[in-house]
Amino acid sequence: MKAVYKIALVTFLSISNLFAQNKDFKGYLFAYFEGKGAASQQEQLRFAVSEDAVNWRALNNNEPIIPSKDISSTGGIRDPHILRKADGNGFYIVATDMNTKKNGWDYNPGIVLMQSKNLLNWKSSVIDLEKLYPKKFRDIKWVWAPQTFYDTKAKKYLVYFTVRFKYNEKLDFYCAYANKDFTALEAEPKLLYSAKDGAIDGDIIYKDGVYHLFYKGNTKDANGKEIQNGIKQAISKKLLGPYKESFDYLDAYANDKTGVEGSSVFKLNNSDEYILMYDLYSSGRYEFQRSKDLYHFTEKTESFTKDFFPRHGSVISITKEEAQRLNEKWGGVPQSLLLSKDGNYRFQSTGNPIIKHKYTADPAAFVEKDTLWLFTGHDFEGGQKGYKLKDWLVFSTTDLKNWTEYPVPLKIEDFKWDKTNDAYAGHTIKRNGKYYWYISTNGSGIGVAVADKPQGPYKDALGKPLLTNADCFASTHGWTCIDPAVFIDDDGQAWLFWGNGVCYYAKLKENMIEIDGPVKKIDFEGLQFTEAPWVHKKNGKYYLSYASGFPEKIAYAMADSIEGPYEYKGILNEIAGNSNTNHQAILEFKGKPYFIYHNGAIQTNGGSYSRSVCIDELEYNSDGTMKRVIMTSEGVSK
């Protein structure tokens, strides 16, 4: 009977572990505390996410996900360790309860235990070893870097941490099982492992029947003076030891003066590789080495790329569903982890700019049934020093709040005739069941691409430019043939407007890929045309809006005929914040007029070459003129 029970127990434990291990993991979550900024904000719990465990993005704009004052006794936490429960139905975090800004480094009483079912909402409890176990820990000085490991034999979670007493400088690991509710320890902690010369920041990982304990250790001479330190390991066949110490150092910096600590080991998704990462605390870097057997590690280090400055933390694997939840709560998850099976990315607008995960520019839009389709240029990254645009993007919404981004539908390389490699502004329109996207380049001309769906993919419809500088008879500079805007009048005639310095226009043939007749230009008193023409019609009146001056404002004129004569009506939109250029789209959606434009508002890397699309309401006066657009941070709401 005992044998049967033992087999059943092993089977249960195996299934329990497999449940967690066999989830469809697609990314990684990094729990850490911050190493830069105001000292009062550093010792707070933060999260970051990565798809590949190398390139990381902070969630919640690198702000704390929970204030330390709500979860700790000191008002600070350090060294967070995150663990997925063995059955897959929840998560635990343990952290050092310490506030060095307030209390210094001389003393901390214990640790924090946290638990969550969804990574979003956390319950916490404080473990003060000195108060709970005064007989053993009355002279405690430090309780540092706790971590948790699931003991499959005991079916309990072992919490272990470094302890130093006031009467002894030696740093040893102590441990105790957490209670069933993960709110306290079951009993007084006992010694787990004592390295010859002391150890901190332990991390246990199990592989092939062996428990590997990685930690920061050191080597001392006969007089007790430290002569070397770095990442070491000890191994055991049993979780509670005894552990056999290896006196070899694993990290690449053990033989120089670069200090490392906070080692943590995790397995890569769908791989037999492990990552040994550590905090280079004196230089603000986080680096790692790789291993397949946990004994031998690559000699050359690799660095994380990140938009934050983490201190001692830990990593777990996460699913796409978990990444989506994290993004909905705090934002910042890399877009690649949020794509649906068809490659679409769904997100919510939270004011202006409406798109914050990419830099977008030169908007154009149309409405089909109950959907607004938005087409943009794509400034490739933040903080650019010049225009770098290599593709175009497409988005849709039915309520101006919930948006879908589609896979990249069109790239500058799709136009083989282009010599500039610059994907400048464009405009898309529907005709005869097809969608035509007129794009411009920085000197090679205006092209046209066609697709069967508004989201594409699009392909070059001509294999050559539709228009070039040779068609711009009144211009002399090389970037005049840009910014196409297409308009189909009530009589079915299609028109194309474009230009820089001079506003040109021409008819399009029914097939939408040929110019019909001569190229002409717009001219009227008060016209100071820079670029970005846009034509729309309301109540029988034609409106020509355009970028004027530099830095650019949006001005507009009105006419009774699309060819004019136009009468200048004034400024519609002032200089867009933090951007020398502006580029507008004007349309009605569900009975309300809107003004779509770009600025450089994304902080901290937005600007004239790293722009962002925004939407604000547009109003008409009783005489048909338009009121000046008020640019807002709040944006629009339906």
Side-chain angles (χ1 to χ4, degrees), residues 57 335 345 347-361 363-364 372-379 393-397 400-406 596-603 610-615:
R57 287 187 60 187
Q335 184 181 342
Y345 169 48
F347 64 97
Q348 288 190 337
S349 168
T350 57
N352 283 325
I354 59 171
I355 302 160
K356 297 183 174 70
H357 61 278
K358 288 184 177 178
Y359 294 92
T360 52
L372 185 151
W373 291 90
L374 173 65
F375 303 82
T376 77
H378 179 200
D379 288 333
L393 306 176
V394 61
F395 307 82
S396 71
T397 182
L400 298 182
K401 179 180 180 181
N402 298 285
W403 292 83
T404 298
E405 179 182 359
Y406 299 87
I596 309 176
Y597 61 103
H598 69 231
N599 62 19
I602 290 183
Q603 296 299 322
S610 299
R611 298 158 293 180
S612 303
V613 168
C614 304
I615 300 180

Side-chain angles (χ1 to χ4, degrees), residues 21 132 148 201 209 236 281 288 291 297 302 304 320 323 357 386 397 457 534 539 547 577 605 614 632:
Q21 294 171 4
L132 290 171
T148 307
D201 299 349
S236 175
Y281 56 92
F288 64 93
S291 175
F297 289 83
E302 301 173 64
F304 290 160
K320 274 197 170 185
H357 61 278
T397 182
W534 180 275
N539 297 332
N605 289 317
C614 304
T632 70

